[in-house]
Amino acid sequence: MVQFGPARYIPGMTDTPTVDFGFKTVPAEEKATLVREVFDSVAPRYDVMNDLMSLGVHRVWKRIFINAIQPRPNETLLDLAGGTGDISFLALKAGAGRVICSDINAEMLQVGQGRALERGFARGLSFLCTDAEHLPLPDRSVEKVSMAFGLRNCTDKDAVLREVRRVLRPGGRFHCLEFSKLEIAALAPLYDAWSFKALPAIGGRIAKDSESYRYLAESIRTFPDQATLAKKMEAAGLERVAHRNLSGGIVAIHTGWRL
């Protein structure tokens, strides 16, 4: 189980770049390690917890996401923050020719590799353990990039978006499925109660780790809203940026092209 203490004072903190880690502020150089510890902890029960946390709705969101991506046999899809492989497997089932399932967390990828072997997805699928801020791929090397529920955990989101544009071929498209800003005010109290009371309790009971799930809930609230993320994508050089809300804005699909 991962334990998180309060944000600590660091000498010279005013000169140290900081980022959010849930509702805490931490030195930017520490966030990747902290996030890796979270996902090391939750990896064994990650898929079960996804079903419990979303009441199964995450499966619907992901099917809609795959329909938006429109995988094709003659294209390579880079699936960033691919984790245990859900999006990669769905893309292959939908007709993707080649999928690179990439994640910074080796524990998550190991779970994904095991699932791939069990489900017969070895052909056309490769795994890459790397930081999305520094992709070891050539410029203009893939037709599509997907990222589902991973961008909010990245330290430098702008760097990730720049890397996405770099590796996309001209005419290629980026698809991002991420938690966003709920746009139905009447549901906000229920949503907050579910996020900050129910999820940590479920995490403690099922995964024996309430703190990691508290962080995941907090990370959703600190993530840029729909309009702010669109501006970040445009600043990274992506064009024709658009988004589509799902479930009243609880999640949104953002898209942008490299033209």
Side-chain angles (χ1 to χ4, degrees):
M1 184 173 78
V2 182
Q3 298 289 337
F4 303 128
R8 57 191 175 85
Y9 173 74
I10 298 175
M13 184 80 165
T14 55
D15 299 323
T16 302
T18 60
V19 293
D20 63 88
F21 180 73
F23 289 161
K24 300 178 180 70
T25 299
V26 300
E29 63 185 15
E30 293 185 7
K31 180 169 180 176
T33 298
L34 292 170
V35 170
R36 189 178 297 114
E37 289 174 352
V38 167
F39 285 95
D40 281 348
S41 175
V42 304
R45 305 291 289 172
Y46 186 70
D47 298 307
V48 172
M49 284 300 300
N50 276 346
D51 281 327
L52 293 173
M53 288 190 301
S54 70
L55 302 178
V57 179
H58 77 103
R59 297 178 183 273
V60 177
W61 294 335
K62 289 172 181 176
R63 285 198 294 270
I64 295 172
F65 187 52
I66 289 296
N67 288 338
I69 294 172
Q70 295 183 329
R72 296 176 179 172
N74 61 337
E75 295 177 339
T76 296
L77 169 68
L78 171 62
D79 182 24
L80 296 177
T84 58
D86 274 0
I87 298 302
S88 295
F89 302 156
L90 288 171
L92 288 168
K93 287 176 67 175
R98 182 187 177 214
V99 177
I100 305 170
C101 182
S102 171
D103 200 285
I104 195 173
N105 187 277
E107 295 288 336
M108 297 286 282
L109 288 178
Q110 286 176 2
V111 174
Q113 287 175 318
R115 294 177 69 201
L117 291 174
E118 290 172 0
R119 302 180 187 193
F121 285 123
R123 185 173 182 179
L125 176 63
S126 58
F127 291 86
L128 175 64
C129 188
T130 191
D131 187 340
E133 297 174 22
H134 307 284
L135 296 173
L137 297 174
D139 295 356
R140 306 182 179 193
S141 57
V142 300
E143 284 77 18
K144 289 175 180 173
V145 178
S146 63
M147 196 170 197
F149 304 121
L151 185 57
R152 74 183 189 281
N153 295 312
C154 296
T155 302
D156 190 341
K157 298 170 183 61
D158 297 324
V160 173
L161 294 173
R162 290 192 296 269
E163 280 291 87
V164 165
R165 184 189 181 279
R166 181 184 67 79
V167 301
L168 278 172
R169 289 178 177 163
R173 196 176 189 186
F174 174 51
H175 300 76
C176 177
L177 175 64
E178 189 54 90
F179 289 103
S180 199
K181 182 179 178 181
L182 178 67
E183 296 190 339
I184 302 175
L187 294 180
L190 179 62
Y191 186 43
D192 286 343
W194 180 256
S195 299
F196 297 114
K197 294 181 180 179
L199 295 190
I202 294 171
R205 185 176 180 84
I206 304 299
K208 311 303 181 186
D209 185 355
S210 60
E211 289 301 316
S212 289
Y213 287 93
R214 184 171 289 109
Y215 157 72
L216 292 174
E218 292 176 356
S219 71
I220 292 168
R221 297 305 195 276
T222 58
F223 189 70
D225 62 18
Q226 292 90 327
T228 304
L229 180 55
K231 290 178 181 177
K232 286 181 173 290
M233 291 172 63
E234 290 169 348
L238 294 166
E239 301 181 54
R240 292 170 57 186
V241 172
H243 77 270
R244 173 188 177 187
N245 284 334
L246 303 177
S247 300
I250 291 177
V251 302
I253 298 174
H254 285 260
T255 57
W257 297 79
R258 176 171 183 172
L259 300 178

